[in-house]
Amino acid sequence: MSEFVFIQVVVPQALPGLLTYKAPLPLAKKLLPGTRVVVPLGRSKLLTGVLHSQIEPPEDFPLEKIRLLADIPDDDPLVNATQLELWEWMADYYLCTPGEVMQAALPPGLKSQSRQMVHRIPGAFPNPEELSDKEYILWEALTIAESLSMSQAALILQQNSAAATVKMLMDKGLAVVELQMEERFKPKMAGFLELPPELKEETALRAALETLSRAPKQLEVMMVFLQLTEAFSKKFIPVRKSFLQEKVGQAGTAIAELIKKGLLTEKQVEIGRLQAQEGAEAKPAVLNEEQQKALAALQQAAEKKQPALLYGITGSGKTEVYFECIQNTLNQDKDVLFLVPEIALTTQLIDRIALRFSGLVGVYHSHMSEAERVEVYRSMQPGYMGPNPYPRILVGTRSSLFLPHQNLGLIVVDEEHDPGYKQTDPAPRYHGRDTALWLARHRGIPIVLGSATPSLESWVNAQTGKYALATLLTRHGDVKLPLMEVVDMGKIQWEKGDDRSISAPLIQELQRCLAERQQAILFQNRRGFSLLMKCLDCSHVPQCQHCDISLTFHKNNGELRCHYCGYAVAKPYKCPACKSTRWIEMGFGTEKIEERVAELLPGAKLDRLDLDTTRRKNAFKEILQRFAEGQTDILTGTQMVTKGLDFDRMHLVAVIHADGLLYFPDFRAQERAFQLLEQVSGRAGRRQRQGKVLIQTYSAEHPVIRALLNHDTLGFYQRELQERKTYAYPPYTRLVYLNFRHANEQRLHQICQQVAQHLKGYPGWTVLGPEAAGPKKLRNRYHLRIILKIPKNLARPALWDYLRREAEWIKSIPSSPELHFDVDPIG
């Protein structure tokens, strides 16, 4: 019998399959699936992995060469069985590795790694004359600090790496290098004060207070403390030290003396960083007849464990129907996962949920700090006894699917059509909506997908009976849909030199809004001031040094910036090609629109909502708060203004340049344009007064524009689906993209052509490309794509196995490109 137990471990690296390690046999009972383990990887690294399973001793590998695990940091499993099954499904379906799924699934603070630490050997004293200058500098630093990380040593030596100098010190017996695990998560602690047990008797306490008669400040602190701890009612509640200091003022020295005298004791307590989302509890709204029918349809689907699509036009009251579903789930003593595409775009929604379900709501998303994400994760584990509230209703982005949900009874996917649910880089390139559907089916729980503009995939599933369908086709409170008007920009009489961004009809509508104390949103789906700069004499356009893309001009800081890699340069005075100083700015972004409106309407109060104005924490919420309070008349923004906003005086929505959405090289372009324009239009007139929408376009007869004008969602879907069916695109076929990257353009083309020919040998699917995937060069690497169109009747497992073998063959090619798969791409 072996003295070891053998385990398979998932590590957060893009390595194929699982890694095998061994552990002493007495540890077998602690090695449960989902347990975190610290394991060696390579020559000089320790990292945290997750135990997948125990296995029999491998027969095809020398057991003595299997490495020993280094540590088991937890007493209980961190990942439950359902999570491990989800990881396996995602790695299989999305053609990635288990380690890539783990990297996405666990908060960074739970994936500790080792770092190399250089220690001075005690008792070693070198002859300074035998050391080089660099060795002497590092030795001096070690005599002061005792130990240094390799990065600290490199910084002291003012060079990229300290490895060579450290090795010289090691060879001379002066230093040693050890691996040290670096814990990324540290609980938030605070000092609390208590009475010692012996002073909780009244006689002893009075005697202690008498000893402070000559220390008035200490006596004052002690009396305030006794009130806060409720000593006179025998409750003896611990008092936070900082709170006592605030109550008394200048009390730090007095508290220290009281602790020294034994009249107070201090202990450190974990206080947590999270707070439940709370509000003044709002009463449930009374559902109208249409909402009640929709709710009944959803409840019927829930009983059958059938996915349901809630199709409701903007302003129809979908949220109140969600709330009734949530309340029914809570009544069954089960929890809810409420998915949103982007947390920043749903501030008002979270506030509404918190008002209705005060104290029960938590949030989870990637913009939270590492420590906050760890605390949410820990609060959802069984047996948790920490300070953070357990979220009965978790509102989160796609990453919240990976949390250790214990008692999940409902998943809601709001705005299910939104491309924000799709992870594009890095792997796993998964779709949050589709992953939620798998999770709901796997756990046997209801799931509701909601949208005013459902994805074509979900619409077909609802029409064919795969999903139940509930509809809300009238606005709540019988508010009329907004008036839709197209401004044909080709027929406008423009003044010479005008930038052609704001038409006269739009100016008139904005003036009317201001006069009637109404508010307006201007939607332009490009940020920055102008989209590019061009030399009038030689036509030179400044380009990014790392990408095949022109630089966008940002006037507020005088920069030309690449929106792909972040490269930025100051706006040039002279053309670098011909030295001319004559530049023309072409195109317009949100920054320029805001400036133009300020020129035309000097009395208006303006604000802008885009990536540039929301980089600072809480900036997004502050901008919306100003708009809600009427401090802003006109809000200009990118896609951030298209969804989740609901304001009392919001009357006008203007789409500045619809053509930028209509003409895009993507089979989903028209669907995406329709959804985006319909969503932003839905922000107008959501209360008593009918709103208005102006769409500026040079394509007034485009099918998307005509469908919007007539609010003809169903007609648009029928036409679009017929075209998809004719040309064999989703939802009638499955797509897989093979995306290639390489530093050498010629080599990339050569290999991709070879791969495409190889793939054409598999019967049944269609191979397109290789072709450019957007800009041909990004971040100094050239990009090409091969598209696979796969009929739905072909068995997926066999195809996926073939693609994995193809990937291994590509890796074996000398100077092979980087390859990643994108299964079910969104564009």
Side-chain angles (χ1 to χ4, degrees), residues 119 155 178 192 232 372 431 561 629 637 702 710 785 823:
H119 300 279
L155 190 64
E178 294 180 354
F192 280 77
F232 305 111
E372 288 172 332
H431 200 298
R561 191 182 309 156
E629 293 173 354
H702 194 284
N710 298 317
R785 169 183 295 164
V823 177

Side-chain angles (χ1 to χ4, degrees), residues 226-299:
L226 292 174
Q227 291 176 348
L228 294 174
T229 195
E230 299 189 37
F232 305 111
S233 60
K234 305 294 184 183
K235 290 187 177 180
F236 302 112
I237 302 167
V239 176
R240 190 165 173 175
K241 185 178 179 180
S242 60
F243 185 60
L244 179 59
Q245 290 172 322
E246 289 175 13
K247 283 288 184 181
V248 180
Q250 305 295 319
T253 303
I255 292 173
E257 285 298 317
L258 290 169
I259 293 173
K260 187 176 180 180
K261 292 177 179 179
L263 301 184
L264 292 177
T265 60
E266 182 180 7
K267 65 178 180 180
Q268 293 293 312
V269 176
E270 183 181 356
I271 58 172
R273 299 168 173 85
L274 306 175
Q275 293 182 342
Q277 303 289 314
E278 296 184 352
E281 294 234 18
K283 293 182 179 179
V286 178
L287 300 188
N288 61 31
E289 184 178 351
E290 189 178 41
Q291 289 173 314
Q292 290 174 357
K293 288 181 179 178
L295 178 62
L298 297 179
Q299 289 173 332

Side-chain angles (χ1 to χ4, degrees), residues 652-814:
L652 174 69
V653 168
V655 180
I656 300 299
H657 184 55
D659 302 74
L661 302 170
L662 298 174
Y663 300 104
F664 202 76
D666 174 9
F667 76 94
R668 293 189 194 272
Q670 293 197 21
E671 177 190 5
R672 191 74 43 76
F674 181 84
Q675 290 168 338
L676 200 56
L677 293 172
E678 183 73 15
Q679 289 283 339
V680 73
S681 300
R683 302 310 108 205
R686 294 169 68 93
R687 292 295 185 266
Q688 299 303 316
R689 180 177 177 179
Q690 186 178 24
K692 188 168 186 178
V693 177
L694 256 65
I695 301 175
Q696 296 188 155
T697 178
Y698 288 91
S699 307
E701 297 303 317
H702 194 284
V704 169
I705 301 299
R706 304 318 300 173
L708 286 165
L709 284 177
N710 298 317
H711 297 292
D712 185 17
T713 301
L714 302 186
F716 171 77
Y717 278 19
Q718 289 173 357
R719 289 189 296 273
E720 186 69 12
L721 284 169
Q722 183 57 52
E723 191 165 317
R724 298 277 186 92
K725 195 170 189 178
T726 301
Y727 295 103
Y729 276 101
Y732 301 107
T733 56
R734 175 179 280 127
L735 287 188
V736 177
Y737 288 169
L738 282 70
N739 293 315
F740 296 86
R741 302 171 186 167
H742 202 283
N744 186 301
E745 184 178 12
Q746 184 178 357
R747 181 63 175 158
L748 178 63
H749 275 276
Q750 180 185 1
I751 294 177
C752 285
Q753 290 287 355
Q754 188 179 356
V755 172
Q757 289 300 319
H758 206 250
L759 289 170
K760 288 176 182 177
Y762 194 95
W765 61 25
T766 303
V767 181
L768 302 178
E771 64 179 30
K776 70 175 182 179
K777 186 174 78 167
L778 291 174
R779 299 179 179 87
N780 293 320
R781 297 177 73 80
Y782 293 92
H783 292 238
L784 283 178
R785 169 183 295 164
I786 294 175
I787 299 175
L788 299 181
K789 283 186 179 179
I790 305 172
K792 292 259 179 118
N793 60 0
L794 289 184
R796 184 187 65 82
L799 296 176
W800 267 225
D801 288 343
Y802 180 85
L803 288 174
R804 287 192 182 87
R805 292 195 300 272
E806 192 73 12
E808 291 302 313
W809 170 71
I810 293 168
K811 286 180 184 178
S812 69
I813 300 173

Side-chain angles (χ1 to χ4, degrees), residues 405-426:
H405 303 282
Q406 297 299 320
N407 193 32
L408 201 55
L410 172 68
I411 300 175
V412 176
V413 184
D414 191 31
E415 307 292 1
E416 64 85 27
H417 69 278
D418 197 287
Y421 282 116
K422 176 68 169 166
Q423 166 83 7
T424 53
D425 256 331

Side-chain angles (χ1 to χ4, degrees), residues 340-356:
V340 292
E342 296 177 66
I343 209 77
L345 306 185
T346 51
T347 303
Q348 286 189 311
L349 174 63
I350 293 172
D351 290 343
R352 285 185 65 184
I353 296 176
L355 280 172
R356 176 71 184 271

